[in-house]
């Protein structure tokens, strides 16, 4: 935990504007991932059962959210992500991946009571996201959202239910939009 916390403070001698702004959620904060790696293509399934290849689009920020039907915090996080998707559809892609079941009926039932109609939610019947979680998307908590920058590289993550629509969330997204 101490190593992750040290990433939040800019190193001595580094320009303040080259370090991402602080973004927190409860006891969690946005944590940088190093080395930065390219987001892989993920073969997933949409909620209608159609196969989908999901990847980051160059020039856009992608938030990759991992959630589970047993996760109480996910019931707060998914509607927040849906609100964010509605507020910035031209500048941001959000991918929400269910990690605990491949049963589309169970996933749809879970999402049914939440306001997530415009959120791109997927199941992982082929294990693509599960495989990626062993190499680059470490699932250290639930829910967890990874930020992929405009260069399609995984930049960092935050666990819990951050308020992406807050000024701090907007600053973090703007920072990575400007990184190119």
């Amino acid at each position: 935990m101490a190593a992750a916390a040290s990433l939040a403070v800019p190193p001595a001698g580094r320009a303040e504007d080259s370090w991402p702004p602080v973004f927190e959620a409860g006891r969690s904060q946005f944590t940088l991932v190093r080395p930065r790696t390219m987001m892989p293509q993920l073969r997933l399934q949409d909620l209608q059962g159609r196969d989908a290849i999901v990847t980051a689009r160059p020039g856009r920020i992608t938030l990759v959210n991992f959630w589970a039907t047993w996760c109480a915090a996910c019931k707060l996080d998914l509607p927040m992500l849906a609100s964010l998707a509605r507020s910035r559809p031209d500048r941001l892609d959000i991918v929400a991946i269910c990690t605990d079941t491949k049963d589309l009926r169970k996933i749809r039932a879970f999402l049914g009571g939440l306001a997530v109609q415009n959120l791109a939610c997927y199941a992982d019947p082929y294990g693509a996201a599960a495989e990626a979680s062993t190499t680059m998307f470490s699932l250290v908590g639930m829910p967890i959202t990874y930020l992929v920058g405009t260069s399609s590289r995984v930049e960092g993550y935050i666990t819990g239910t951050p308020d992406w629509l807050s000024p701090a969330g907007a600053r973090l997204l703007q920072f990575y939009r400007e990184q190119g």
Side-chain angles (χ1 to χ4, degrees), residues 47 69 101-112 123:
L47 298 184
T69 58
T101 183
K102 298 170 187 169
D103 183 343
L104 295 177
R105 284 187 308 238
K106 184 175 181 179
I107 295 170
R108 286 192 300 263
F110 178 85
L111 296 172

Side-chain angles (χ1 to χ4, degrees), residues 64-135:
V64 182
N65 175 265
F66 295 93
W67 62 277
T69 58
W70 53 260
C71 171
C74 296
K75 292 181 179 181
L76 301 172
D77 194 41
L78 292 167
M80 171 60 67
L81 290 170
S83 294
L84 179 64
R86 276 192 307 277
S87 72
R88 298 191 171 106
D90 58 329
R91 301 164 31 191
L92 179 68
D93 295 321
I94 301 174
V95 177
I97 304 169
C98 183
T99 61
D100 70 320
T101 183
K102 298 170 187 169
D103 183 343
L104 295 177
R105 284 187 308 238
K106 184 175 181 179
I107 295 170
R108 286 192 300 263
F110 178 85
L111 296 172
L114 306 176
V116 295
Q117 291 79 16
N118 65 327
L119 187 61
C121 293
Y122 298 92
D124 186 23
Y126 309 110
E131 182 179 327
S133 73
T134 65
T135 57

Side-chain angles (χ1 to χ4, degrees), residues 4-19:
S6 69
L7 293 175
V9 179
R14 189 168 190 170
E16 196 64 38
D17 62 353
S18 67
W19 200 257

